[in-house]
């Protein structure tokens, strides 16, 4: 199974800041990498698919990059509503589909 | 608009059974694989199972193989998860999720249900 490792596990930032979350796969997954946002008590929401494609309706301050084993999610100009937990997920070697452990983002 | 609505959750004793259902609408149901993903209290996301778009193939997380059965009824736009021999570690919110890939491929999830809680406890 492909292991997905996110860092950091948590971070705190201010409104207007830019933050970067990284995700590393235990083997190459090309660009079969997706990012999700989850707020407490809610279902996850797809933000980025195929490593860098923005899902319809997602603000352009969210962006993704990377290929192979190393990926990043960048959120520019942080808004208060970006406070959430973010997960990466690989869809390259399935089954199983696997997720990172999550990164909790707090907005000061 | 796409809607996925889960039902069938609740409290069950260890060793018991439960059947979850997911009613889908707003898209061509038999175009896409359909998944179950779970989240234990305070924990991360864990993929559980997928039924292929035509229902001919099913794949499972190792820890649920032989205990859970995923199925779909494309005539009723419904996905099911039959959970047998339940364990306390199966306690979680279970989400139904649609794959964004059309056909025989499984890449990720573009729509999710609201989730339903399954509690395995004596």
């Amino acid at each position: 199974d492909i292991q997905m490792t996110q860092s950091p596990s948590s971070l705190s930032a201010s409104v207007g800041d830019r933050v970067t979350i990284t995700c590393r796969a235990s083997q190459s997954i090309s660009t079969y990498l997706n990012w999700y946002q989850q707020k407490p008590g809610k279902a996850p929401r797809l933000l980025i698919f195929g490593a860098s494609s923005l899902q319809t309706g997602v603000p352009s301050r969210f962006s993704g990059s990377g290929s192979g084993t190393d990926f990043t999610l960048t959120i520019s100009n942080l808004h208060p509503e970006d406070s959430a937990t973010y997960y990466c997920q690989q869809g390259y070697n399935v089954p199983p589909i696997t997720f990172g452990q999550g990164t909790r983002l707090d907005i000061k | 608009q796409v809607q996925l609505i889960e039902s069938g959750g609740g409290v069950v004793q260890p060793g018991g059974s439960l059947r979850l259902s997911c009613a889908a609408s707003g898209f061509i149901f038999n175009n896409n694989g359909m998944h179950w993903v779970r989240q234990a209290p305070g924990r991360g996301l864990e993929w559980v199972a997928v039924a292929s778009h035509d229902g001919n193939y099913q794949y499972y997380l190792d820890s649920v193989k032989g205990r859970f059965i995923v199925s779909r009824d494309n005539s009723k736009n419904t996905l099911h998860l039959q959970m047998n021999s339940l364990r306390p570690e199966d306690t979680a919110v279970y989400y139904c999720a649609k794959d964004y890939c059309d056909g025989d491929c499984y890449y990720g999830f573009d729509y999710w249900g609201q989730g339903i809680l399954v509690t395995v406890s004596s």
Side-chain angles (χ1 to χ4, degrees), chain A residues 33-91:
Chain A
L33 189 283
N34 306 310
W35 290 98
Y36 301 87
Q37 176 193 65
Q38 187 180 31
K39 297 182 179 181
K42 299 293 188 182
R45 171 196 184 195
L46 178 64
L47 299 176
I48 302 287
F49 64 94
S52 60
S53 297
L54 196 66
Q55 174 69 348
T56 303
V58 174
S60 59
R61 62 179 183 275
F62 292 89
S63 63
S65 65
S67 66
T69 60
D70 295 311
F71 302 87
T72 59
L73 172 70
T74 299
I75 313 172
S76 303
N77 187 24
L78 274 175
H79 285 38
E81 61 266 31
D82 298 334
S83 179
T85 300
Y86 293 85
Y87 294 93
C88 63
Q89 170 254 312
Q90 68 83 18

Side-chain angles (χ1 to χ4, degrees), chain A residues 5 22-25 27-30 33 51 65-72:
Chain A
T5 304
T22 65
C23 179
R24 175 164 288 177
Q27 65 186 74
S28 177
I29 58 170
S30 184
L33 189 283
S65 65
S67 66
T69 60
D70 295 311
F71 302 87
T72 59

Side-chain angles (χ1 to χ4, degrees), chain B residues 84-103:
Chain B
N84 301 321
S85 302
L86 281 161
R87 305 167 180 168
E89 56 265 35
D90 295 317
T91 294
V93 172
Y94 284 74
Y95 294 99
C96 162
K98 171 186 168 291
D99 204 290
Y100 64 75
C101 182
D102 290 346

